[in-house]
Amino acid sequence: MSPTTAPSSPVPASSKHPPEHPAPRLAQRRRSIGVVLGLALAVLTYIAFPSSAIDQVNATAVASGEEAAFTDTGLRTVAAAAVLLGLWWMTEAIPLAATALLPLVIFPALQVADFEEVAAPYASDTIFLFMGGFMLALTMQRWNLHRRIALRVVLWVGTRPRSLVLGFMVATGFLSMWVSNTATAVLMLPIGASVLGLVSSLAGGRQRIRRFSTALMLAIAYAASIGSVGTIIGTPPNALLVAYLSETHGVEIGFGQWMLVGVPLAAVLMVVAWWLLVYVLLPPEIDTVPGGREVIEEEWRRLGPMSGGEVRVSIVFLAAAASWVLVPTLLERTGAALNISDALIAMATAAILFLLPGDRAQGTRLLDWATAKEVPWDVLLLFGGGLSLSSMFSRLGLSIWIGEQARGLEVLPTVLFVAAVALLVIVLTELTSNTATAAAFLPIMGGVAVGIGLTQQEPANVLLLTAPVALSATFAFMLPVATPPNAVAYGSGYVRLADMVRSGVWLNIIGMVLVTLAVMGLVVPVFGLSL
């Protein structure tokens, strides 16, 4: 079997292109307003930034045993840059990746940092971790392994209406841990649509199964977002969090460590979303799906037996996943002095994919450069820009100033901070890119965590306010523009906006509660935080 070209390359979770329904003129107006507003507020921030701030920052630095080397120009520049990049990212004034390149211009041009220093975060090891993950996902798509996994899971769970919805959610959620959530939704929705097409013909029309159709389409879209929080490479905000903590606070998060938080959170929200859809909001009109299993089995038969290339991709995928989870634990327990990072495993996996044969008759490899070129390089640039801006927060003193302003809030319970951050980010990411939101808020919340004293006993306590940023940025379920899976589901024609909003409101609220519980109940023990 020769490799199969994927119908679409993986699109990152951050790429929030609105569906075709809204008028393009509206998007153009938003971008134009974003350009002007961003520039105006950036200039205003630079001019109006408190002149007393530099004295406060240097005094705090001296009290902490650091050198009073911060400058007024540097402080004003990074504050203005944060406003400009944040607004341009959130309004998509120019392409997200183009905005991410601005730190390379702003800070060296205003002579507050060297170009090499500003550029260093664009080569962070987390960027290479995501690059390797993208290449693995593209290879799975090229050899149709992702489709085989999805169909097998659906057949395993069963094809009664509620079971069928659950099966699609489990398959979609698992795939989105490793493959772009958009690519996963694009794969699963046509399979779901083929099932619905058969059922509607047997049931006497689409209106006879409207609730079931809507529930299945929404379930696939929601599961694609929910499942992606399970791993570091599942969604860009997770990777941004890991890179930010490593670069700015010296806190390292292992692949397996994150799964101890992300997988339980995703599993619980998945079950809640399934129950809410099929038992409360959109209970199916039918008790059985006539011919549903036959449709799935026919799709399965079309795949044929696993090719040699597909088998080898499966082995590499399992080896990479096992290495990410087990290698850090084995090194720690054996006391080995080896330094094998998650990024090293990712790039080794990519190299192996380029080396191993795919179709021997055609002389192809598992992964070729024509396929690898489909890696979403714009997402990697977006990572770099976010990390560069974050590094300037610390390098030029803005994190210290934010922390000082937040000191008066230290009397409030930590759980209220966590819930407030989760709610704020969920609301914002309904209208803006989740990766851009995470990039803008991670350094701000990091500064607040330092300012209210969370990091005095344990530096990793910064996770208490930064982890909910990353987790919540992926949990946006109300609007088609909130995530690409939502847009794909809405564009299928089976989902009305009112149904998405009604379901999404409940899931947003539940998501906020679960993120808060996950931070307090999982992040704290897994990372050894102190409250």
Side-chain angles (χ1 to χ4, degrees):
M1 175 182 171
S2 59
T4 303
T5 303
S8 65
S9 59
V11 181
S14 62
S15 303
K16 295 194 171 182
H17 302 299
E20 293 298 324
H21 306 283
R25 194 181 312 167
L26 192 62
Q28 293 173 6
R29 187 179 307 162
R30 185 192 71 234
R31 296 187 188 111
S32 299
I33 292 173
V35 169
V36 176
L37 187 62
L39 289 171
L41 289 182
V43 172
L44 181 62
T45 299
Y46 187 94
I47 296 172
F49 198 80
S51 56
S52 60
I54 188 60
D55 295 328
Q56 187 180 27
V57 168
N58 279 324
T60 303
V62 171
S64 303
E66 301 177 22
E67 184 180 354
F70 299 107
T71 67
D72 181 65
T73 301
L75 203 54
R76 292 175 184 273
T77 299
V78 69
V83 170
L84 178 63
L85 268 69
L87 278 169
W88 279 14
W89 272 330
M90 292 181 184
T91 60
E92 296 185 79
I94 62 176
L96 299 181
T99 300
L101 293 173
L102 292 180
L104 296 171
V105 177
I106 295 171
F107 298 110
L110 295 180
Q111 304 294 293
V112 295
D114 295 333
F115 189 92
E116 293 82 359
E117 188 178 12
V118 180
Y122 289 83
S124 164
D125 60 348
T126 306
I127 290 177
F128 288 97
L129 167 62
F130 230 71
M131 185 189 299
F134 279 142
M135 290 183 177
L136 176 59
L138 282 165
T139 308
M140 291 172 66
Q141 290 177 253
R142 186 180 187 223
W143 294 92
N144 250 351
L145 177 61
H146 62 325
R147 188 177 183 86
R148 188 177 297 274
I149 293 172
L151 292 172
R152 184 72 267 170
V153 170
V154 173
L155 284 173
W156 173 62
V157 171
T159 54
R160 296 180 68 85
R162 291 187 172 100
S163 298
L164 190 67
V165 172
L166 179 61
F168 270 92
M169 291 187 77
V170 171
T172 304
F174 175 77
L175 285 175
S176 66
M177 292 168 60
W178 314 98
V179 180
S180 154
N181 57 9
T182 307
T184 303
V186 168
L187 161 72
M188 296 300 295
L189 281 166
I191 301 175
S194 65
V195 172
L196 294 176
L198 176 63
V199 174
S200 65
S201 65
L202 296 174
R206 283 175 56 171
Q207 287 304 313
R208 296 287 184 91
I209 57 166
R210 192 192 69 79
R211 291 199 306 268
F212 173 55
S213 302
T214 304
L216 183 58
M217 293 292 108
L218 285 178
I220 293 171
Y222 291 163
S225 296
I226 293 169
S228 66
V229 305
T231 63
I232 290 173
I233 63 172
T235 181
N238 289 0
L240 266 176
L241 171 69
V242 172
Y244 166 73
L245 292 177
S246 177
E247 297 278 336
T248 307
H249 298 278
V251 176
E252 302 295 335
I253 296 179
F255 201 96
Q257 271 186 308
W258 181 261
M259 290 185 72
L260 292 175
V261 175
V263 171
L265 173 61
V268 172
L269 185 54
M270 193 89 71
V271 171
V272 171
W274 170 72
W275 175 82
L276 189 68
L277 286 172
V278 300
Y279 282 99
V280 180
L281 299 175
L282 297 162
E285 297 91 339
I286 53 177
D287 295 325
T288 60
V289 179
R293 188 173 187 85
E294 286 74 11
V295 172
I296 303 298
E297 287 179 343
E298 177 59 28
E299 293 286 339
W300 176 264
R301 282 193 293 270
R302 287 180 184 174
L303 290 177
M306 291 184 74
S307 65
E310 195 175 351
V311 170
R312 285 184 281 276
V313 174
S314 302
I315 294 172
V316 174
F317 167 70
L318 292 173
S323 298
W324 276 321
V325 173
L326 299 177
V327 166
T329 302
L330 292 175
L331 292 178
E332 181 180 352
R333 291 190 175 180
T334 59
L338 297 174
N339 181 17
I340 301 179
S341 65
D342 292 335
L344 172 58
I345 294 171
M347 296 315 296
T349 299
I352 290 170
L353 293 173
F354 280 111
L355 286 169
L356 290 180
D359 189 319
R360 294 184 186 275
Q362 297 185 12
T364 60
R365 307 281 185 177
L366 290 180
L367 180 62
D368 58 18
W369 190 245
T371 303
K373 285 193 299 185
E374 299 301 319
V375 164
W377 303 104
D378 57 338
V379 174
L380 301 182
L381 284 176
L382 185 56
F383 285 166
L387 294 176
S388 182
L389 178 63
S390 297
S391 70
M392 291 297 106
F393 265 66
S394 299
R395 163 72 173 76
L396 299 176
L398 188 60
S399 292
I400 296 177
W401 184 78
I402 292 173
E404 288 300 307
Q405 309 316 301
R407 284 198 184 277
L409 302 174
E410 58 191 0
V411 296
L412 296 178
T414 303
V415 66
L416 290 183
F417 273 110
V418 175
V421 171
L423 178 61
L424 174 64
V425 173
I426 285 176
V427 170
L428 282 176
T429 201
E430 282 289 351
L431 302 171
T432 64
S433 158
N434 55 2
T435 307
T437 302
F441 274 84
L442 281 172
I444 294 174
M445 289 302 122
V448 171
V450 173
I452 64 177
L454 288 179
T455 60
Q456 287 181 353
Q457 293 180 322
E458 172 59 55
N461 278 359
V462 70
L463 271 163
L464 289 170
L465 295 190
T466 54
V469 172
L471 292 170
S472 302
T474 307
F475 289 167
F477 305 107
M478 277 180 53
L479 299 174
V481 296
T483 64
N486 283 12
V488 174
Y490 183 56
S492 70
Y494 286 96
V495 178
R496 297 185 306 182
L497 182 59
D499 290 323
M500 181 175 286
V501 171
R502 187 163 60 104
S503 304
V505 165
W506 285 106
L507 282 179
N508 283 359
I509 295 171
I510 294 168
M512 180 202 70
V513 173
L514 289 180
V515 166
T516 304
L517 293 175
V519 171
M520 305 305 293
L522 292 175
V523 172
V524 170
V526 167
F527 296 101
L529 310 185
S530 56
L531 295 176

